[in-house]
C-alpha cells in the first residue's frame, strides 16, 4: 500500500497526469476475493489514501476492479471517494444496469464486455455502443470503452465499430 500511495504522489507532480488509477481486482465472478470485512480493514484504507492523494493534487481518481464488487460499491464510492469505476462484465452486471444503479454517485468508464466484443459482429458492437451513449448523453457520467484491456485477438473492425458509434456526427 505504501508503494502505491507513493506512486500516486509522484505521478501527481506532473501536470500531464490528470487521473490516478487504483488497479485492484477485488473479486471473482461471484464474490469478492476476501470478505468485505477484511477488504474494509486491509485493502480499502489504502485506496482511500490513493484517492486523497489524487484529490489533494487536483486530480481525479478512477478504480479499475474486475469481479463481483456489489458488496463493496458503497465503500468504493462513499468511503474511498473514487470519482469513477472501470471494468464491467456482462455475466456479473452489464454496464447498462450498473449505470442505472450508480451513475448519480460515480462515473462509469468502459463496459463493452470483452467477451461480447469477441463474439459479436461490428454491427452489434456499434448498436450497443450507440445505445449506451444515447442512454447517457443527457445524464452524463459515462465514458465509452471496453470492459477491460483489449486483447490482440479482437479484430480491429470491432474496435472501429465502437469508435464509429462515438464519433458519428462529429
Amino acid at each position: 500500500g505504501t508503494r502505491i500511495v507513493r506512486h500516486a504522489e509522484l505521478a501527481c507532480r506532473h501536470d500531464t497526469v490528470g487521473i490516478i488509477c487504483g488497479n485492484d481486482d477485488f473479486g471473482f465472478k461471484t464474490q469478492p476475493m476476501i470478505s468485505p470485512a477484511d477488504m474494509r480493514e486491509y485493502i480499502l484504507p489504502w485506496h482511500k489514501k490513493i484517492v486523497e492523494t489524487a484529490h489533494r493534487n487536483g486530480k481525479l481518481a478512477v478504480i479499475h476492479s474486475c469481479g463481483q464488487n456489489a458488496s463493496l460499491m458503497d465503500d468504493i464510492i462513499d468511503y474511498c471517494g473514487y470519482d469513477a469505476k472501470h471494468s464491467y462484465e456482462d455475466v456479473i452486471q452489464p454496464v447498462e444496469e450498473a449505470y442505472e444503479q450508480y451513475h448519480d454517485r460515480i462515473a462509469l468508464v468502459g463496459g463493452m464486455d470483452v467477451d461480447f466484443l469477441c463474439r459479436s459482429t461490428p454491427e452489434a458492437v456499434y448498436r450497443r455502443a450507440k445505445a449506451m451513449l444515447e442512454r447517457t448523453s443527457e445524464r452524463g457520467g459515462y465514458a465509452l470503452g471496453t470492459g477491460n484491456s483489449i486483447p490482440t485477438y479482437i479484430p480491429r473492425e470491432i474496435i472501429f465499430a465502437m469508435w464509429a458509434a462515438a464519433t458519428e456526427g462529429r
Side-chain angles (χ1 to χ4, degrees):
T2 56
R3 284 183 175 173
I4 295 170
V5 171
R6 181 67 179 143
H7 173 77
E9 291 168 351
L10 294 172
C12 283
R13 292 180 181 174
H14 300 278
D15 292 338
T16 55
V17 172
I19 296 172
I20 299 298
C21 187
N23 291 300
D24 213 344
D25 292 344
F26 290 158
F28 302 106
K29 183 167 54 171
T30 59
Q31 66 188 39
M33 287 189 194
I34 62 176
S35 74
D38 286 345
M39 290 290 295
R40 290 179 186 108
E41 184 174 351
Y42 299 111
I43 307 297
L44 295 178
W46 291 109
H47 282 274
K48 182 177 178 64
K49 290 178 183 185
I50 292 166
V51 173
E52 289 170 345
T53 299
H55 290 170
R56 184 172 54 252
N57 288 280
K59 315 291 184 182
L60 296 173
V62 177
I63 178 77
H64 165 89
S65 183
C66 294
Q68 178 53 268
N69 293 310
S71 62
L72 301 169
M73 281 302 289
D74 286 340
D75 298 292
I76 290 168
I77 297 167
D78 300 325
Y79 172 70
C80 295
Y82 274 107
D83 300 297
K85 181 182 177 296
H86 176 261
S87 188
Y88 299 91
E89 298 172 70
D90 290 347
V91 297
I92 296 172
Q93 183 180 34
V95 69
E96 294 87 351
E97 290 178 15
Y99 181 80
E100 295 305 330
Q101 186 171 358
Y102 298 113
H103 80 276
D104 59 339
R105 298 176 61 206
I106 191 169
L108 285 75
V109 177
M112 294 294 113
D113 183 273
V114 172
D115 184 64
F116 167 76
L117 296 175
C118 289
R119 297 173 187 270
S120 295
T121 64
E123 295 77 19
V125 170
Y126 173 87
R127 283 192 306 273
R128 185 173 182 191
K130 192 71 169 172
M132 189 63 191
L133 291 170
E134 288 171 356
R135 173 190 296 252
T136 62
S137 68
E138 295 295 319
R139 297 182 281 170
Y142 178 72
L144 178 65
T146 61
N148 210 315
S149 301
I150 303 172
T152 58
Y153 52 80
I154 293 181
R156 281 183 245 151
E157 294 77 23
I158 295 295
I159 304 307
F160 293 156
M162 281 196 314
W163 179 81
T167 60
E168 184 179 79
R170 291 185 183 209

